[in-house]
Amino acid sequence: LDMDALGHQGSSLGMLLLFGANLALLGVLELALRAFPALGDAKPQVVEDPEDQQQLLKSKAPLAPAKKLSLPLAATLPSVRALCWELARLGAVVGFSWLCEYHPIFPHSQKYWERDQYYFLCLLLFIFCIRDIRYIKKNDVLNREQSEEWKGWMQFMFLLYHYYKAEEVYNSIRVMITCYVWMTGFGNFSFFYIKQDFSSVRVVQMLWRLNFLVVILCLVMGNTYILYYICPLHTFFFLMVYVAMGIGKSVNHTKWGIRWKLLALAVVILAVWDVPRYCLFRYTFGFGLGSDPSIGATSGTLWEWYFRTSLDHWSTFLGMIFALNFPMMTLWFKKVESAPENTRLLIKGAAGAAVLAVGIWWTAVFLPLPKLDYNMTNAYFAFVPLLVYVFLRNLTPGLRSYYLGPLHSIGKTTLETYLMQHHIWLTSNAKTLVTILPGYPKINFLLVSCVFIVLSQELYRLTMSLRGMLLPDSFAACARNSLGVALVLGVCWGLGVVLTMAGLNGPWVIGTVIIGLALAALMALRWLLLAQPPAHHNPAHLAAAVSVHPRRIVIVFGVLLVAMNTLSAYVSVFTAERYMPAVLLPPPPHHGSGTSPSPGQLSQPSTTVNCVADVNLGSWRSFPCREAPGAILATPCEASSWVWDGPSAHVCGHERLTSAEVLDLVGSKHVLLAGDSIQRYLYYSMARAVGDTAAHGHNGSAPRHSDISCSLPAGGSLRFLWSPFAKNITSRLDTLQARSSSLPEVVILGAGLWDALHHRDAQDYARQLHALASVLDSIRRKGTHVLWVANTRVVDERLNTVDKQTFMHESIVERYRNAALGPSGLQDHVDGVADGYIVTKDRELHSVDGVHYDDNVYDTMAQILLNQVKDLTKPAAGSSAKSAPAPAPAHELCSMCQPKRVLWLVCVIVLLIFSMDNFFGLPTLITRVLGGADLVGELTWEKAYGPLHQSLGIVPAATRASTVATATEPPSM
C-alpha cells in the first residue's frame, strides 16, 4: 500500500465528512428554529465565567468590519447556528478551490513570461491607486496604514511574479519576502514590549491566525505543511520573538538589559545557522524532519526548512532591533522636524542622501546577481533596501500623512491571498493557471482575479470570525475549544483514512457516515444545551427542537445523497475523470519500470497516473502572438504553442521549464543523445533550453553527420553521437561501456528513419532492436535513465526525393515505429518514451521537407524529455532502493553560511543596537555634525523612552533604585 497516497486521500475524505456533517447539523438546526421561532430570539451568552461576559461586552464595541470578531461561542441555538453557518461558508470556499485544483471544467493553462504585460499591470495598479489617496490625521512614523500599504504593493508584485513566472525579478521578490519576515519581528516585539501580554491565550490566538487556513488546506488538498512555507516561517519566528521576550522579561524595559539579551539571541542564531560545517541546525530541527522527497520539498523537509530559514534567519531579529530603537527613531524625526527650517532641510537632506547612497550601493552590487548567487547574500544584505525604503517613505510629515487605499486593502489579506493563489488563482500548487475562459488569457486573468480576491477576503473574514467564536480571551474557553477543534479534526481524519483503506468511499457510504456524525453532534449539542440553566429559552421547547425526528433526518439525508450523487455525476460525466487528483487514484507505478505504452495508447485517458508516459498528452494551441509561451510565430498575428492538457498534467507538474530550471535539473548531469537527424535537432534544442542562444541546427557550417558536444555550467555535459542505424546505437553504447568507468545519467535514443530508407527490412530492424535491448538493460542496471524518441510523423506530400517517397513514406515508417514500441520492442527496456508522432501529427504545414520540422516542434520534444527526466529523478513513493535510480547527492546543511558576510552583519548589528539608530547610525552622525549641541542633547534614551514607559505604567530602573534606597535609609536624628 502507498501509505502517503492513503494519508492524502484520507485527509481529503475526512474534511468532506466534516463539512458534510456540519451541513447536515445546520439543516436540522434551521428546521428546529423554524418550528420554534422563539428560540431564535435567545441572546447569545457566554457559558464560562464573568471574564467571558466582559469579553462579550468588549466585542460589542464599534469596530471596523474587517477587524470585528464574532461573539464567543455560547450554549444557545443561535450561537451554534452561527458557527455552523461560518463552517459552511468555509467548506464552500475550500470545496471550490478543490474543484479548481482537481476537477476544473477546462484544462489548466501553462504559465508564461511576458515582460510587457507584467510591468503594464504594475503600472496600471499604481495609476489606479493614486486616484484613491487617503489622509491620516495621526501621521506617526511607520504607522499602521502605511504598513498595510507596504504589504499591499509587495503582495501584488509577489502574486504577479508567480502568475507570470517572472524569474527576472526573483531577487526583488526575495527582498519582499524578507520584508514580511522582518515585520514579524518588528510587530511582535512591539506588541510584547507595549502590551506585556505573554499569556498562552495570546499565543494560541496568534497561531490560529497564522495556521488555521493552512491546516485546512493541507487536509483538504492532501498537501504538506512545508509547501506553504511562508506559514511555518512566520510561525517559527513568532515563537522565537515570544520566547526571547518572555525569558527575563523584567529587563525588557531597561536601557541595556534588553540589548544584551538581544545580543545573546544573536549568538544563538549564529550558532544554529552561521557556523561553517558545524552549525547546530540539524540538532535543533532534525527531529521530525527527513530527507525523503515530499510535496513542496523535493530534497526532503530538513533541507527545505534549512533553505527557507537560511534565506531569512536574521530578518526577524533585525525587525526586533528596529522595534527596540523605534522610540529613538520617532524622537529623531520629532526633534529634527521642530528645528529651524534651514537646519531641518539640511539634516534631512543629508541623511536622505546618505541612506539613499547605501541603497544605490546595494542595487548596483547585489540586485543584479544571478538567482543562486543572490540567495547566498539575502540573509546578510536584504535588510538594506528595506531600511532605505522605510527611511525615505517616512522622511517628511507629508509622506507619512497619506496612503494608497487599494494597496492598504490588499495588505490586510496577504496571508489569504498567498495561500489561495496555490489553488484558485493558480493551480497544481502554483504550477499552472486556472482557466475559466479558454483562448482569452487576458479576460481569463481578469475573471479569475476577481474570484480570487473576493474569496481571499471572505477567508480572512472567516478566519477572524471563527477565532472570535472559538478562541475568546478566557483561558478556560480557549483551551476547551482548542482541544475540541483538534479532536474533531482528528476524528474526521481518522475516519477518512479508515474508509480509504477499506475502499468504502462511495457516495452512499460517505453519506451514511456524514449522517452518523451529524446525529452524534446533535446528541452532544442536546446534552450540552439541556445541561445549562434556563435563561432565555423554554427547556421543553429546546428539548423538542434538538430531538432527533425521523422526518428531519430523512429530509437532510436525502438532500445530502442527492448532492453527493450529483457531484459524482459531475466528476464522471463533465470531466470524464481527466483531472482526477493523485490522492484519489491508484498509486502510480515506478517510473523506471519501462511500461511505456505504444504511440496509439499514449493519447488515451487513463485512471492511473504515470507521469513519464503522460507527459506526451498535450495539444497545440494557437495564441495571439504576444501571448504564446516560448512559441515561434506561425503567422504575423498568431502563434502556436504546446500545452499539456492530459489527465495528470497538473498532478505531475508538467510545464515548460525555464533555462534556470533546466540547469538545475541537468546542469550537473551528463546527457547523451544518439541517433539520426531527429536526435541531432533535439541536441540543439537541449542546448537552447539551457540558455545557449547560439545553438541552431540550421547553420550550414555546423556538423551534421558527426558527433557534437558541449559543457554545462554546473559540471555536466551535453553530447550527441551520430548513429543513424539501430545497430550503430548498439555499437556506440557497447564501446561507451567498455571504455568509460562511468556512464551518462541520461541517455536519449532514436532510430528507424535511416533503416527504412536504406536497409528497407523491418524484420531485420526488429532483430537489431532486440540486440539493442540487452545493452539498454545493462546500462539501466548501472543507474542510467534511458529514453526512446518515437519517430515524428512523415508528411508524404512534402518528401523531396524519389527514394524517400518510395521507401520512407508514413505507412512504412509507421511499421518501424510500431516495431520499436510494440510488444516485442523496447517498451520494457527503456524508462520512458517521447512520442514524436503525437507532437507532429497536426503540424504538417510546419514540416520543412516531409521529415524535419521547425524549431518549435523540437523545442517542445526537448521539453517533454526534460519533464520525463524531472519525473524520473524523483524517487517513486514506496519504491525500493534496488529499483530506484541512484539518488542525487544530498544538499549539505550549513552550506549557505557565509563567514565574511556574517562578520559584516555582526558589525552592523552591534552598531544598530548600541547606537540606537535604525539607519546604520547615519542620521545620528549627521545630526551631531550639522545639528548643534542643543539638538543632539535632546536625543537621549530618557527622553525617547520615558514618556512611553510612563504611559505603560512602568517605573524606570533608576527611579526604582532611588525609591528603594530612600526606603531603606535609616531615619535622620
Side-chain angles (χ1 to χ4, degrees):
L1 293 176
D2 187 341
M3 298 308 296
D4 287 340
L6 285 176
H8 295 165
Q9 182 178 355
S11 67
S12 299
L13 181 55
M15 296 307 292
L16 176 61
L17 298 178
L18 171 63
F19 291 119
N22 175 71
L23 283 177
L25 179 61
L26 178 60
V28 172
L29 292 179
E30 289 293 340
L31 291 175
L33 290 171
R34 287 179 181 273
F36 300 93
L39 292 173
D41 298 330
K43 297 179 180 179
Q45 291 185 353
V46 183
V47 203
E48 190 56 45
D49 53 34
E51 291 184 9
D52 279 345
Q53 198 66 30
Q54 291 298 318
Q55 171 64 17
L56 176 62
L57 295 175
K58 291 179 182 178
S59 64
K60 291 182 178 179
L63 298 172
K67 296 181 180 179
K68 187 173 182 179
L69 301 179
S70 297
L71 298 178
L73 183 64
T76 65
L77 283 187
S79 182
V80 176
R81 178 178 61 175
L83 174 63
C84 290
W85 269 114
E86 295 293 66
L87 291 177
R89 295 183 181 99
L90 175 65
V93 175
V94 297
F96 175 76
S97 67
W98 187 86
L99 290 175
C100 289
E101 183 73 58
Y102 295 128
H103 298 283
I105 298 177
F106 299 105
H108 298 153
S109 303
Q110 298 297 316
K111 293 182 182 181
Y112 62 94
W113 167 234
E114 186 173 353
R115 182 182 293 105
D116 179 58
Q117 187 167 334
Y118 179 87
Y119 289 109
F120 166 77
L121 290 173
C122 295
L123 183 61
L124 183 65
L125 177 70
F126 175 75
I127 294 173
F128 172 74
C129 288
I130 60 176
R131 299 178 66 253
D132 187 13
I133 298 177
R134 303 180 185 180
Y135 176 73
I136 315 171
K137 291 183 179 179
K138 193 175 181 181
N139 58 355
D140 297 330
V141 177
L142 199 58
N143 53 70
R144 183 60 178 267
E145 288 77 10
Q146 184 189 129
S147 298
E148 298 291 358
E149 174 202 78
W150 183 12
K151 291 194 295 182
W153 68 258
M154 289 194 302
Q155 187 71 358
F156 182 83
M157 300 288 289
F158 180 73
L159 293 173
L160 276 191
Y161 161 78
H162 275 172
Y163 194 91
Y164 286 104
K165 206 171 185 178
E167 296 211 353
E168 71 176 42
V169 298
Y170 169 84
N171 294 355
S172 300
I173 300 301
R174 187 70 256 167
V175 173
M176 295 175 195
I177 296 174
T178 295
C179 292
Y180 283 119
V181 181
W182 179 90
M183 288 181 184
T184 296
F186 171 70
N188 287 292
F189 183 98
S190 300
F191 176 87
F192 292 122
Y193 192 91
I194 296 173
K195 299 294 185 181
Q196 306 170 64
D197 180 5
F198 296 93
S199 66
S200 55
V201 172
R202 162 65 183 175
V203 175
V204 172
Q205 289 175 342
M206 189 65 181
L207 293 180
W208 174 282
R209 174 71 185 100
L210 293 173
N211 292 282
F212 167 71
L213 182 55
V214 70
V215 169
I216 296 298
L217 286 177
C218 287
L219 292 173
V220 170
M221 301 296 176
N223 282 331
T224 57
Y225 185 44
I226 196 67
L227 172 70
Y228 312 96
Y229 66 90
I230 292 293
C231 294
L233 269 182
H234 285 292
T235 299
F236 168 74
F237 287 118
F238 160 73
L239 293 175
M240 185 185 81
V241 177
Y242 174 76
V243 172
M245 293 295 287
I247 295 176
K249 56 187 177 183
S250 60
V251 303
N252 285 351
H253 299 92
T254 60
K255 183 176 183 179
W256 299 113
I258 181 61
R259 298 176 190 278
W260 286 110
K261 187 161 73 167
L262 286 183
L263 281 179
L265 176 59
V267 172
V268 174
I269 295 174
L270 195 72
V272 173
W273 279 279
D274 284 319
V275 178
R277 295 189 299 173
Y278 301 104
C279 71
L280 302 180
F281 185 88
R282 183 182 297 277
Y283 304 101
T284 307
F285 300 103
F287 179 76
L289 300 179
S291 57
D292 295 333
S294 62
I295 299 173
T298 55
S299 298
T301 51
L302 182 61
W303 166 257
E304 187 69 17
W305 182 240
Y306 171 74
F307 173 71
R308 296 298 179 185
T309 54
S310 291
L311 288 171
D312 288 300
H313 62 281
W314 287 106
S315 303
T316 295
F317 177 79
L318 291 166
M320 295 171 69
I321 295 177
F322 191 95
L324 175 61
N325 291 336
F326 191 81
M328 284 294 293
M329 180 189 71
T330 302
L331 180 66
W332 182 87
F333 277 101
K334 179 180 178 182
K335 295 301 181 182
V336 170
E337 287 167 2
S338 63
E341 183 177 2
N342 291 337
T343 304
R344 180 177 73 251
L345 293 177
L346 183 61
I347 292 176
K348 281 199 172 183
V355 173
L356 181 61
V358 176
I360 294 173
W361 164 75
W362 178 90
T363 303
V365 175
F366 297 101
L367 185 60
L369 290 175
K371 174 181 177 179
L372 298 181
D373 294 336
Y374 176 79
N375 281 343
M376 305 300 286
T377 72
N378 187 80
Y380 312 105
F381 292 96
F383 73 96
V384 172
L386 183 158
L387 294 180
V388 172
Y389 170 80
V390 172
F391 185 80
L392 297 180
R393 178 66 177 84
N394 293 274
L395 190 57
T396 68
L399 290 173
R400 301 195 299 268
S401 299
Y402 297 93
Y403 69 97
L404 301 177
L407 295 180
H408 178 271
S409 299
I410 296 174
K412 296 178 73 65
T413 57
T414 50
L415 180 61
E416 287 70 27
T417 51
Y418 164 75
L419 291 172
M420 299 315 296
Q421 65 158 335
H422 290 81
H423 308 295
I424 292 181
W425 208 42
L426 309 173
T427 52
S428 310
N429 294 329
K431 296 293 185 183
T432 56
L433 308 179
V434 171
T435 303
I436 59 179
L437 193 62
Y440 298 89
K442 289 185 175 64
I443 300 177
N444 182 78
F445 170 81
L446 177 62
L447 296 177
V448 172
S449 298
C450 292
V451 175
F452 166 65
I453 292 171
V454 169
L455 293 184
S456 296
Q457 291 176 341
E458 175 64 9
L459 284 172
Y460 171 76
R461 189 197 65 79
L462 285 170
T463 300
M464 302 306 293
S465 174
L466 289 171
R467 197 197 86 175
M469 288 183 176
L470 300 175
L471 302 178
D473 288 346
S474 167
F475 172 78
C478 187
R480 180 192 63 220
N481 292 341
S482 299
L483 182 62
V485 170
L487 181 63
V488 168
L489 290 177
V491 168
C492 291
W493 179 86
L495 283 174
V497 172
V498 170
L499 292 177
T500 301
M501 295 182 66
L504 301 174
N505 50 6
W508 288 95
V509 175
I510 294 176
T512 303
V513 175
I514 286 175
I515 294 303
L517 289 173
L519 288 176
L522 189 62
M523 292 297 94
L525 177 62
R526 182 176 186 274
W527 174 82
L528 178 65
L529 295 180
L530 293 178
Q532 304 302 320
H536 296 276
H537 59 255
N538 185 314
H541 288 178
L542 182 60
V546 296
S547 295
V548 184
H549 291 299
R551 182 166 58 90
R552 295 179 191 154
I553 299 304
V554 168
I555 292 174
V556 177
F557 184 76
V559 170
L560 279 174
L561 286 183
V562 170
M564 291 292 298
N565 281 282
T566 301
L567 178 61
S568 178
Y570 164 79
V571 170
S572 61
V573 175
F574 289 95
T575 67
E577 298 184 348
R578 294 186 64 202
Y579 308 103
M580 191 69 72
V583 297
L584 298 180
L585 296 173
H590 171 49
H591 291 160
S593 62
T595 56
S596 303
S598 63
Q601 295 171 322
L602 283 173
S603 60
Q604 300 300 319
S606 169
T607 57
T608 301
V609 176
N610 185 338
C611 293
V612 175
D614 289 354
V615 73
N616 292 282
L617 302 182
S619 59
W620 291 96
R621 301 284 180 83
S622 294
F623 299 87
C625 296
R626 297 181 63 83
E627 298 172 5
I632 303 297
L633 295 186
T635 70
C637 62
E638 184 178 81
S640 53
S641 180
W642 178 265
V643 175
W644 283 275
D645 54 10
S648 58
H650 65 296
V651 175
C652 299
H654 296 151
E655 59 180 342
R656 186 175 296 272
L657 304 179
T658 64
S659 296
E661 291 170 330
V662 174
L663 283 174
D664 187 50
L665 178 65
V666 300
S668 60
K669 294 180 174 63
H670 298 284
V671 180
L672 173 69
L673 295 94
D676 51 27
S677 56
I678 294 179
Q679 278 62 49
R680 184 177 69 244
Y681 281 118
L682 288 175
Y683 166 85
Y684 285 117
S685 291
M686 288 279 192
R688 284 193 295 272
V690 297
D692 183 1
T693 57
H696 202 283
H698 306 300
N699 184 354
S701 63
R704 295 177 63 82
H705 298 170
S706 59
D707 300 344
I708 321 170
S709 64
C710 68
S711 299
L712 299 179
S717 65
L718 186 62
R719 187 179 178 191
F720 167 71
L721 302 180
W722 171 250
S723 312
F725 299 105
K727 64 181 181 181
N728 296 148
I729 297 177
T730 304
S731 175
R732 300 296 293 266
L733 292 179
D734 276 333
T735 303
L736 189 66
Q737 285 194 93
R739 294 182 179 179
S740 178
S741 58
S742 60
L743 294 172
E745 288 89 343
V746 180
V747 170
I748 300 170
L749 309 171
L753 293 179
W754 275 53
D755 288 278
L757 180 62
H758 298 289
H759 284 173
R760 305 168 187 174
D761 187 344
Q763 293 182 351
D764 181 62
Y765 176 71
R767 288 190 292 271
Q768 293 179 23
L769 292 180
H770 182 73
L772 176 60
S774 62
V775 178
L776 298 183
D777 290 340
S778 175
I779 65 175
R780 290 178 69 222
R781 283 193 294 269
K782 297 176 182 179
T784 296
H785 294 300
V786 179
L787 300 173
W788 182 263
V789 179
N791 288 321
T792 54
R793 184 182 187 277
V794 175
V795 185
D796 296 343
E797 57 271 21
R798 295 203 171 199
L799 294 173
N800 54 14
T801 68
V802 175
D803 283 348
K804 290 181 180 180
Q805 293 169 358
T806 305
F807 302 107
M808 207 173 70
H809 55 77
E810 172 57 27
S811 60
I812 291 178
V813 172
E814 184 179 9
R815 292 200 294 269
Y816 284 77
R817 192 184 295 121
N818 291 336
L821 298 177
S824 59
L826 296 177
Q827 65 171 350
D828 293 328
H829 306 278
V830 296
D831 295 298
V833 174
D835 197 333
Y837 180 83
I838 286 182
V839 177
T840 57
K841 66 179 180 178
D842 296 322
R843 307 294 289 174
E844 294 88 351
L845 297 178
H846 299 266
S847 175
V848 178
D849 54 9
V851 179
H852 304 103
Y853 290 81
D854 59 32
D855 287 344
N856 199 11
V857 167
Y858 296 112
D859 289 348
T860 296
M861 293 177 65
Q863 288 289 335
I864 289 175
L865 289 165
L866 290 168
N867 273 271
Q868 289 178 324
V869 173
K870 182 180 71 172
D871 292 326
L872 287 167
T873 51
K874 296 177 184 176
S879 61
S880 65
K882 293 182 179 180
S883 62
H891 293 287
E892 183 181 352
L893 298 182
C894 310
S895 59
M896 296 181 70
C897 170
Q898 304 289 305
K900 294 182 179 178
R901 290 165 179 164
V902 172
L903 181 61
W904 132 270
L905 184 60
V906 169
C907 293
V908 172
I909 286 172
V910 172
L911 175 65
L912 295 178
I913 288 179
F914 291 103
S915 71
M916 303 185 191
D917 189 325
N918 279 329
F919 303 105
F920 319 106
L922 294 175
T924 300
L925 177 62
I926 291 171
T927 303
R928 289 184 179 277
V929 174
L930 303 177
D934 293 340
L935 183 56
V936 172
E938 293 292 322
L939 302 177
T940 63
W941 183 88
E942 289 75 14
K943 292 186 177 181
Y945 292 83
L948 173 62
H949 290 172
Q950 186 177 4
S951 67
L952 299 177
I954 298 171
V955 179
T959 304
R960 289 201 305 268
S962 175
T963 302
V964 171
T966 303
T968 57
E969 186 178 275
S972 58
M973 298 299 295

